[in-house]
């Protein structure tokens, strides 16, 4: 069984309810934990749905931590509130999970931006492939075992939570995976450009840089990514792009 965690600001209730309705009908989903960061009542309810409403918006990363803590099942799924999945998606995913793994997320090529909430992706076989690098959109839907979850630091509120989870599993020698084959629809654009000047995001960026770049790595470090190798020398960054 799997516990699903969905933080929400209730920006699109129709998309959120459609997601919850789909999950509620999936036999492998034991519970759906909604972290209600909008701090106002939800207008719908389903049998497996449990709502946790904090006193104020705690932001997405702390909401993930809280949801994982509250989850009662062996597996946890962290889902965006603005995605559209196929029927019995979680049941299909559980059938292909390896015995040991870190975190499984999405890859850019399997995320389809849409503008109409009535659409639903075609149901196809779920294929999971090993991945040593996190892809854009990975955190739109992530799955892992509850017992292995690496708690996201309190200093990260909105950004980099998926990066933290991915990297911590990698450090502990767990193999991470990406989902291919089965598409997921994402309502609207995947860009965060509208949040560029959000002070919380700016704070997250500074905090995350301090985490991944301790003082000695600020002098010199080499990091490999999916599309490039990044060389850092005395605060200067040089990227060598992978043409493949």
């Amino acid at each position: 069984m799997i516990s699903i965690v969905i933080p929400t600001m209730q920006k699109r209730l129709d998309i959120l309810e459609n997601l919850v309705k789909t999950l509620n009908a999936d036999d492998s989903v034991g519970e759906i934990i909604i972290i209600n960061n909008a701090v106002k009542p939800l207008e719908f309810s389903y049998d497996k749905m449990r709502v946790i409403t904090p006193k104020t918006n705690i932001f997405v990363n702390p909401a993930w931590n809280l949801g994982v803590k509250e989850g009662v099942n062996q597996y946890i799924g962290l889902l965006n509130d603005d995605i559209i999945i196929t029927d019995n998606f979680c049941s299909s995913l559980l059938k292909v999970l390896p015995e040991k793994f870190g975190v499984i997320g999405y890859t850019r090529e399997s995320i389809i931006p849409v503008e109409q909430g009535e659409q639903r992706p075609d149901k196809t076989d779920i294929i999971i492939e090993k991945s040593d690098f996190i892809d854009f959109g990975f955190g739109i839907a992530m799955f892992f075992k509850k017992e292995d979850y690496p708690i996201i630091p309190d200093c990260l509120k909105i950004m980099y939570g998926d990066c933290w989870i991915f990297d911590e599993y990698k450090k502990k020698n767990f193999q991470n995976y990406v989902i291919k084959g089965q598409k997921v629809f994402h309502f609207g654009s995947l860009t965060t450009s509208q949040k560029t000047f959000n002070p919380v995001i700016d704070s997250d960026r500074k905090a995350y840089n301090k985490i991944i770049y301790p003082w000695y790595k600020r002098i010199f470090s080499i990091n490999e990514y999916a599309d490039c190798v990044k060389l850092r020398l005395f605060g200067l960054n040089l990227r060598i792009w992978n043409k493949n």
Side-chain angles (χ1 to χ4, degrees):
M1 297 289 282
I2 185 168
S3 296
I4 298 295
V5 178
I6 307 175
T8 185
M9 288 295 292
Q10 299 192 41
K11 296 296 185 182
R12 281 298 304 262
L13 277 177
D14 56 334
I15 303 299
L16 174 60
E17 182 173 5
N18 177 65
L19 175 61
V20 172
K21 182 179 180 181
T22 302
L23 292 165
N24 193 74
D26 191 331
D27 290 339
S28 71
V29 176
E31 61 178 349
I32 305 163
I33 303 172
I34 307 293
I35 309 298
N36 182 21
N37 276 333
V39 198
K40 61 182 180 181
L42 276 171
E43 299 176 357
F44 59 86
S45 179
Y46 289 84
D47 294 342
K48 298 178 184 179
M49 186 174 126
R50 177 156 62 102
V51 180
I52 299 175
T53 303
K55 294 181 179 179
T56 187
N57 178 12
I58 61 173
F59 302 110
V60 62
N61 291 336
W64 281 348
N65 286 341
L66 175 59
V68 174
K69 180 181 178 181
E70 291 287 330
V72 299
N73 291 296
Q74 178 184 11
Y75 297 103
I76 302 287
L78 304 181
L79 271 60
N80 270 31
D81 67 346
D82 56 359
I83 61 174
I84 304 171
I85 60 176
T86 60
D87 293 335
N88 298 311
F89 172 83
C90 291
S91 292
S92 299
L93 177 63
L94 289 179
K95 291 178 182 178
V96 299
L97 290 184
E99 182 176 348
K100 182 178 180 181
F101 65 97
V103 59
I104 297 174
Y106 256 88
T107 181
R108 183 196 308 255
E109 66 188 59
S110 297
I111 301 172
I112 310 300
V114 295
E115 296 183 357
Q116 300 297 325
E118 294 79 13
Q119 301 178 73
R120 186 178 292 272
D122 295 332
K123 188 170 184 178
T124 58
D125 291 337
I126 293 179
I127 301 169
I128 61 170
E129 293 185 358
K130 295 179 180 179
S131 179
D132 294 326
F133 306 102
I134 191 169
D135 197 3
F136 183 78
F138 185 89
I140 207 168
M142 297 185 291
F143 302 87
F144 47 83
K145 290 184 178 179
K146 174 183 169 72
E147 63 182 1
D148 301 322
Y149 176 69
I151 298 173
I152 303 170
D154 290 339
C155 59
L156 302 177
K157 303 299 185 185
I158 298 176
M159 303 293 289
Y160 307 110
D162 54 349
C163 296
W164 170 267
I165 294 171
F166 189 99
D167 289 343
E168 286 300 297
Y169 276 118
K170 190 173 179 179
K171 289 177 183 177
K172 296 176 182 178
N173 294 318
F174 284 93
Q175 178 63 60
N176 296 324
Y177 292 81
V178 291
I179 297 172
K180 293 189 175 182
Q182 179 60 64
K183 308 296 184 183
V184 62
F185 287 173
H186 181 263
F187 189 82
S189 173
L190 292 177
T191 181
T192 57
S193 60
Q194 294 179 349
K195 300 177 180 178
T196 302
F197 301 105
N198 188 318
V200 178
I201 291 179
D202 289 341
S203 177
D204 283 351
R205 185 177 294 108
K206 293 175 182 177
Y208 189 67
N209 282 333
K210 287 183 179 180
I211 291 173
I212 63 173
Y213 292 119
W215 67 268
Y216 54 90
K217 286 191 176 181
R218 295 174 200 171
I219 298 174
F220 177 77
S221 65
I222 298 176
N223 296 96
E224 187 178 6
Y225 298 90
D227 56 355
C228 70
V229 174
K230 184 177 178 181
L231 173 66
R232 186 181 181 94
L233 181 62
F234 295 108
L236 298 176
N237 294 320
L238 174 64
R239 287 182 172 86
I240 302 174
W241 296 100
N242 180 359
K243 294 183 179 180
N244 297 328

